[in-house]
């Protein structure tokens, strides 16, 4: 199946491939990309995809938190940010676990998380944004995806070991995972391609042709009524050459280019030709 390129809207984050449009013309695409860059130009340190204030919610500013306080806040606020909390104990993790998937928990300063606390925290079905973590062991990675739930975001992780990547790829987080890799080595691409759900690399900058071919194997299509649906693959800000774009067309699901600010010469031609081929098989 040929990949479809997702909807380019300012700040849009594709979820489960629900909003998929045709490939835009080169002129239209470039216009929207310019709009995206200008609409979210920010002089602050965080960009739109790493700002814990989006979506807005309650911000707890203390550096430590007790289980009782965690339980109180989790029950009162569906969108909760523990701004300065650096460590979550198993007891606090248990207090933070509440039913219902329409919640967001963000820990932008989280520095350490052991396997026991990770396994408990992963039982929270809502979105988990553990942006403060800079690394994960294979054991912690496996624990974080041991339970089904909304999207897991590990945007602070810029490098990952093959063992930790393999643990994530075997995970059950059916709304997808986000990993903050800057570069996508071939070995890591081949491992993460085994993850069956949405896969997001919001800060990716470097993507080789070999890695593009490997990550294009990500996911499998499923039949939902008369519609064929595959998982979304978001490649962040990675520079795409025509050859890389061609390789990515093998992906069995929507490809998101929301974070690109411009297209390299020839890439628009590849995308336009692919869309024409899709409509005229």
């Amino acid at each position: 199946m040929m990949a479809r390129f997702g909807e380019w809207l300012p700040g849009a984050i594709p979820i489960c491939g629900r909003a998929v449009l045709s490939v835009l013309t080169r002129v239209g695409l470039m216009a929207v990309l310019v709009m995206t860059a200008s609409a979210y130009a920010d002089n602050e340190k965080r960009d739109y995809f790493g700002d814990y204030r989006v979506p807005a919610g309650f911000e707890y500013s203390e550096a430590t938190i007790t289980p009782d306080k965690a339980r109180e806040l989790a029950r009162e606020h569906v969108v909760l940010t523990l701004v300065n909390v650096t460590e979550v104990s198993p007891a606090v993790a248990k207090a933070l676990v509440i039913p219902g998937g329409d919640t967001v928990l963000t820990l932008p300063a989280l520095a350490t998380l052991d396997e026991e606390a990770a396994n408990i925290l992963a039982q929270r079905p809502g979105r988990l944004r553990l942006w403060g973590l800079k690394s994960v062991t294979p054991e912690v990675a496996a624990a974080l995806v041991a339970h089904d739930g909304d999207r897991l975001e590990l945007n602070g992780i810029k490098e990952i070991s093959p063992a930790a990547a393999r643990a994530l790829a075997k995970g059950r987080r059916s709304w997808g995972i986000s990993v903050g890799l800057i570069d996508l080595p071939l070995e890591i691409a081949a491992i993460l391609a085994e993850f069956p759900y949405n896969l997001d690399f919001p800060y990716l900058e470097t993507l080789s042709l070999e890695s593009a071919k490997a990550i294009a194997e990500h996911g499998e299509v499923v039949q939902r009524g008369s519609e064929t649906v595959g998982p979304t693959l978001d490649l962040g800000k990675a520079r795409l050459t025509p050859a890389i774009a061609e390789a990515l067309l093998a992906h069995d699901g929507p490809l998101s280019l929301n974070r690109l600010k411009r297209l390299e010469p020839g890439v628009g031609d590849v995308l336009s030709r692919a869309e024409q081929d899709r409509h005229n098989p």
Side-chain angles (χ1 to χ4, degrees):
M1 176 183 173
M2 181 176 292
R4 295 173 296 177
F5 282 78
E7 180 178 6
W8 289 276
L9 291 174
I13 301 178
I15 297 177
C16 289
R18 291 175 179 171
V20 181
L21 296 182
S22 300
V23 174
L24 302 177
T25 63
R26 283 182 295 167
V27 175
L29 174 58
M30 293 307 296
V32 175
L33 289 173
V34 170
M35 286 172 58
T36 303
S38 60
Y40 290 101
D42 189 352
N43 292 326
E44 299 180 0
K45 294 181 180 179
R46 303 177 184 88
D47 65 19
Y48 175 81
F49 298 100
D51 189 343
Y52 63 77
R53 296 163 298 185
V54 181
F58 183 82
E59 297 178 14
Y60 175 80
S61 60
E62 300 298 321
T64 60
I65 189 168
T66 65
D68 287 343
K69 188 63 175 180
R71 186 176 298 106
E72 173 193 334
L73 294 177
R75 289 176 176 176
E76 291 181 357
H77 306 284
V78 295
V79 179
L80 174 63
T81 300
L82 307 181
V83 180
N84 297 309
V85 172
T86 59
E87 185 176 357
V88 171
S89 67
V92 168
K94 184 176 181 179
L96 289 170
V97 175
I98 57 174
D102 293 329
T103 62
V104 180
L105 176 65
T106 306
L107 289 103
L110 185 64
T112 60
L113 188 68
D114 64 29
E115 183 180 355
E116 181 183 3
N119 192 289
I120 295 171
L121 192 60
Q123 296 175 38
R124 182 183 169 110
R127 180 173 294 198
L128 288 177
R129 307 197 301 182
L130 309 182
W131 296 349
L133 288 178
K134 299 297 187 291
S135 63
V136 287
T137 64
E139 294 76 19
V140 169
L144 286 173
V145 293
H147 304 275
D148 192 11
D150 204 329
R151 181 176 158 102
L152 170 68
E153 299 183 6
L154 303 172
N155 292 356
I157 295 179
K158 307 306 179 186
E159 296 182 354
I160 192 169
S161 69
R166 196 168 290 110
L168 289 179
K170 295 178 180 179
R172 298 172 56 195
R173 210 77 190 180
S174 63
W175 280 75
I177 58 175
S178 173
V179 187
L181 301 181
I182 302 297
D183 176 46
L184 188 59
L186 175 57
E187 182 179 13
I188 300 301
I191 292 171
L192 290 179
E194 298 176 7
F195 184 67
Y197 308 114
N198 293 348
L199 194 54
D200 188 359
F201 302 102
Y203 299 115
L204 190 65
E205 296 179 0
T206 305
L207 182 68
S208 69
L209 178 58
E210 292 74 18
S211 292
K213 291 178 179 179
I215 202 65
E217 298 298 319
H218 160 246
E220 295 181 0
V221 297
V222 295
Q223 197 71 29
R224 294 180 182 170
S226 61
E227 185 180 8
T228 301
V229 181
T232 296
L233 176 62
D234 191 320
L235 295 170
K237 308 170 186 176
R239 175 179 173 269
L240 302 184
T241 64
I244 290 174
E246 194 80 51
L248 291 172
L249 291 175
H251 182 255
D252 284 336
L255 288 167
S256 174
L257 303 180
N258 286 342
R259 299 172 175 94
L260 277 181
K261 293 183 178 179
R262 69 185 184 92
L263 291 180
E264 297 295 325
V267 172
D269 292 330
V270 172
L271 304 187
S272 297
R273 186 171 62 252
E275 182 66 2
Q276 291 172 5
D277 292 344
R278 190 167 72 89
H279 285 292
N280 301 288

